[in-house]
Amino acid sequence: MKIARFSRGEIIAFGIVDEDELVVLKGDPMFAGYDPTGERVALHDVRLLVPVIPRSKIVGVANAAFLTAHEKADGEPGEPVLFLKPNTAVVGPGDPIVLPAGVNDVRAEGVLGIVIGKIAKNVPVEQAADVILGYTVGIDVTAHELQERDGQPARAKGFDSFCPLGPIIDTEFDAAAAVIRGQVNGVDVQSDDIALMRHSIAELVSFVSGVFTMLPGDVILTGASGRARAIADGDTVLVEIPGIGTLSNPVRRAR
């Protein structure tokens, strides 16, 4: 099932994607279930919004994937290295990534987003699927020069607009077989195989929930190799995960 959040005029609603239409729902399916209103709208008549607004946080996993299958076979995964983004960093499809004034080295990387659907704390690996609502496409944006200067990522990854998510949430997506493809201005810059992740989705959900209480709507960002690409004013960043969709965001310098 593919869940979209959309606007039509001044109305904001949720819907289930059915080919080129949306089956409009009465409320947020995370809390109200999948109760349809009986109305259908064409996808081309609406604007897709960020499909989920995290209630408290986005948890990222740094360097979540090996670069090659050979490296994975020979390497040790170690413990996941986590970072946080505030929910104010989230924007949706088509919204600009805003480069902070005075910052020149900003980088972006496509990632897989795991959307949590239930309160999750100390979740066993074998029960991780029970707390996942679905998956979405994410872009992890970092002010690299600030991360180097600060020696930690809080400021560098926390600016408004530094976490695009969308275009939908897929509740039945096979994350184990996913590929993340990224472009900047139409040029291929990323191709990451989720099979090269250092830890499985279930292992990451279990590990993260052992550190933070995850709330419905919180997101775990993972699935990439840590090879972010530089972006500049006027660029367009596009990330595709076949089976979920394509997320595209323009880049603008703060005025």
Side-chain angles (χ1 to χ4, degrees), residues 61-241:
V61 183
N63 298 328
F66 290 104
L67 296 177
T68 65
H70 179 74
E71 183 184 9
K72 181 173 182 177
D74 293 343
E76 291 293 332
E79 286 190 324
V81 177
L82 307 180
F83 60 86
L84 291 174
K85 286 179 180 276
N87 56 8
T88 49
V90 172
V91 292
D95 292 332
I97 297 169
V98 180
L99 306 177
V103 177
N104 296 312
D105 187 359
V106 178
R107 305 181 188 185
E109 182 176 33
V111 293
L112 176 69
I114 307 166
V115 182
I116 300 300
K118 300 177 181 178
I119 295 176
K121 181 62 178 175
N122 294 323
V123 178
V125 170
E126 60 273 13
Q127 296 177 19
D130 297 339
V131 303
I132 298 173
L133 175 67
Y135 301 88
T136 193
V137 182
I139 302 175
D140 175 22
V141 184
T142 307
H144 184 70
E145 68 187 74
L146 297 183
Q147 182 165 310
E148 292 288 301
R149 186 187 308 170
D150 295 348
Q152 50 87 17
R155 177 166 65 136
K157 290 181 176 290
F159 285 96
D160 291 357
S161 80
F162 272 27
C163 187
L165 296 173
I168 55 93
I169 297 169
D170 192 327
T171 63
E172 300 173 356
F173 181 67
D174 181 8
V179 176
I180 304 171
R181 299 175 180 146
Q183 294 184 341
V184 176
N185 301 330
V187 177
D188 293 338
V189 296
Q190 179 182 359
S191 180
D192 284 326
D193 188 341
I194 298 296
L196 297 180
M197 282 176 52
R198 296 175 184 271
H199 305 87
S200 70
I201 297 293
E203 289 169 342
L204 288 174
V205 170
S206 179
F207 183 85
V208 170
S209 70
V211 180
F212 310 103
T213 297
M214 300 297 287
L215 302 181
D218 284 351
V219 176
I220 300 172
L221 300 180
T222 188
S225 56
R227 296 175 293 183
R229 298 307 195 276
I231 56 175
D233 184 24
D235 287 347
T236 297
V237 181
L238 182 149
V239 177
E240 178 192 17
I241 300 180

